[in-house]
Amino acid sequence: MSFSVDKEAIEEGDTVILYLNANSMHAIKVTNSVLNKHGENVENVFQTTYGALKVSSLIGTKYGSKVEMSRGWAYVLQPTPELWTLTLPHRTQIIYTPDISMIIYQLEIKPGSYVIESGTGSGSLTHALARRVAPNGFVSTFDFHEHRVNLAKEEFASHGISNIVSVGLRDVCSDGFGEELDGKADAVFLDLPHPWMVIPHAVKALKTAGGRFCSFSPCIEQVQKTCSTLRQAAFTEITTMECLQREINISRRSLPIASLNKEEKLSKENSEAATKGTIKLEENKYNFVSSGYASTMPGHTGYLTFATLPPSWTTQPPLSPLLESSDLS
């Protein structure tokens, strides 16, 4: 239960992040024993490139500590949604931190918000949503795959966030989110192949005071259909964007400084030697630090489409001229 509260020391049953380096991290559950492939209980020993770690030895260790292994050392960190995204077991393609941060910002989610998510998948976004709406908000997430739903329930309970996250087995394209959620949501997020089919259900689920909508789609054809359906459903502020992360490389460079009076600076002896080619003239150089973009970068991640549903009273049809004249009389 190390996700829900800040802790000083590791307890049995916690999920911890074993940090070897920036490109090598592992999420491990702190238990004394594990089941091997034969179904037998054996001592929980985690193998890494720096040797073996007896997992039970972490109990009582302070988070952030440096721990020794058989051929090296590592740090044990308290998990965060960002670290979990980098280390979670992939059951589906996941949404990464650059997109997650934009989603939470654009959906205007805050502590106490009620968020509906469809497409739980591996739970990467769900953990970030749960942290954002805590302690008084709630996240209702849905998936149509029964095995993924069961695994997500186990993970959320193990991480101590099941009190603010519920997981439902549901095909929201045909069945919606359920009548019990009508008018409850501040925001709706969809990660589905056909998000435009769920927009009518999203309208029902959002509060009468309005709310925000987001869908994640890898193809521009999906975006076109979604935007068209959003306009028909009276959504406004429809925007599609893509987050591409570019790395900036820092390097030291050296450039020669041209000297037009090089001969005047040389003594007569050196000048004669230089003329004969017996010595090599050294040029002055200018050293500096420069930056530049990496030569390669991801070409495409996915499209994020955002929209706002105005308050229900703003979308009411205008009164007919006959009714207006009768009211005036």
Side-chain angles (χ1 to χ4, degrees), residues 11-14 28-34 43-45 54-56 59:
E11 299 176 3
E12 185 175 1
D14 282 355
I28 57 177
K29 189 170 183 179
V30 180
T31 56
N32 291 311
S33 61
V34 292
E43 185 180 18
N44 190 359
V45 178
K54 187 177 179 181
V55 177
S56 60
I59 298 175

Side-chain angles (χ1 to χ4, degrees), residues 44 87 191 193 270 314:
N44 190 359
T87 57
D191 184 4
N270 284 346
T314 65

Side-chain angles (χ1 to χ4, degrees), residues 94-104 125 216 241-244 301-302 304 306:
I94 68 170
I95 298 177
Y96 287 92
T97 300
D99 286 323
I100 290 174
S101 60
M102 182 60 69
I103 290 167
I104 292 177
L125 176 62
F216 179 89
M241 61 184 68
E242 182 179 21
C243 298
L244 295 178
T301 55
L304 294 170
F306 298 97

Side-chain angles (χ1 to χ4, degrees), residues 125-135 139 161 164-165:
L125 176 62
T126 315
H127 281 78
L129 293 175
R131 180 181 63 181
R132 184 58 179 160
V133 303
V139 178
I161 59 173
I164 53 175
V165 177

Side-chain angles (χ1 to χ4, degrees), residues 92 117-121 141-150 167-175 191-194:
T92 60
E117 175 195 20
S118 185
T120 309
T141 182
F142 299 93
D143 204 293
F144 70 92
H145 195 281
E146 184 175 4
H147 181 60
R148 289 202 293 262
V149 168
N150 292 333
V167 190
L169 176 64
R170 198 177 189 92
D171 182 0
V172 298
C173 290
S174 58
D175 302 330
D191 184 4
L192 303 169
H194 306 96

Side-chain angles (χ1 to χ4, degrees), residues 25-296:
M25 290 177 275
H26 305 278
I28 57 177
K29 189 170 183 179
V30 180
T31 56
N32 291 311
S33 61
V34 292
L35 291 176
N36 63 12
K37 61 182 180 181
H38 302 295
E40 303 168 340
N41 270 315
V42 296
E43 185 180 18
N44 190 359
V45 178
F46 189 79
Q47 300 290 340
T48 74
T49 54
Y50 296 113
L53 172 68
K54 187 177 179 181
V55 177
S56 60
S57 67
L58 297 178
I59 298 175
T61 303
K62 289 186 177 182
Y63 280 106
S65 298
K66 185 177 179 179
V67 295
E68 290 189 11
M69 294 179 290
S70 57
R71 294 198 306 273
W73 51 269
Y75 290 98
V76 283
L77 307 178
Q78 184 162 346
T80 64
E82 291 79 14
L83 292 175
W84 179 246
T85 294
L86 295 174
T87 57
L88 58 76
H90 284 219
R91 298 184 285 270
T92 60
Q93 289 291 328
I94 68 170
I95 298 177
Y96 287 92
T97 300
D99 286 323
I100 290 174
S101 60
M102 182 60 69
I103 290 167
I104 292 177
Y105 171 71
Q106 289 286 342
L107 289 182
E108 302 175 6
I109 301 170
K110 58 185 182 297
S113 295
Y114 197 110
V115 183
I116 294 176
E117 175 195 20
S118 185
T120 309
S122 301
S124 172
L125 176 62
T126 315
H127 281 78
L129 293 175
R131 180 181 63 181
R132 184 58 179 160
V133 303
N136 302 318
F138 201 82
V139 178
S140 291
T141 182
F142 299 93
D143 204 293
F144 70 92
H145 195 281
E146 184 175 4
H147 181 60
R148 289 202 293 262
V149 168
N150 292 333
L151 289 176
K153 286 181 178 179
E154 293 176 6
E155 279 183 356
F156 297 155
S158 174
H159 297 168
I161 59 173
S162 56
N163 61 319
I164 53 175
V165 177
S166 68
V167 190
L169 176 64
R170 198 177 189 92
D171 182 0
V172 298
C173 290
S174 58
D175 302 330
F177 303 115
E179 294 182 358
E180 66 277 7
L181 295 184
D182 287 355
K184 291 189 67 173
D186 295 289
V188 172
F189 173 81
L190 305 177
D191 184 4
L192 303 169
H194 306 96
W196 57 89
M197 297 177 62
V198 189
I199 291 175
H201 303 301
V203 173
K204 292 181 180 179
L206 288 169
K207 293 179 178 179
T208 56
R212 291 284 284 167
F213 169 92
C214 176
S215 69
F216 179 89
S217 302
C219 302
I220 195 64
E221 292 81 8
Q222 296 170 300
V223 173
Q224 291 173 324
K225 289 185 178 181
T226 301
C227 290
S228 177
T229 307
L230 286 169
R231 283 191 291 269
Q232 295 173 11
F235 278 84
T236 61
E237 300 177 332
I238 302 172
T239 305
T240 298
M241 61 184 68
E242 182 179 21
C243 298
L244 295 178
Q245 190 170 357
R246 301 185 69 178
E247 181 180 351
I248 297 178
N249 295 325
I250 308 298
S251 61
R252 291 186 175 274
R253 300 186 63 185
S254 180
L255 294 177
I257 300 175
S259 177
L260 301 179
N261 300 314
K262 191 178 299 181
E263 292 79 3
E264 297 178 4
K265 297 179 181 179
L266 297 174
S267 64
K268 184 178 179 180
E269 295 81 7
N270 284 346
S271 192
E272 291 176 357
T275 303
K276 295 178 182 178
T278 56
I279 67 170
K280 185 178 180 181
L281 299 178
E282 292 196 7
E283 299 174 335
N284 293 326
K285 293 184 177 181
Y286 177 68
N287 300 314
F288 61 98
V289 177
S290 68
S291 64
Y293 288 110
S295 57
T296 59

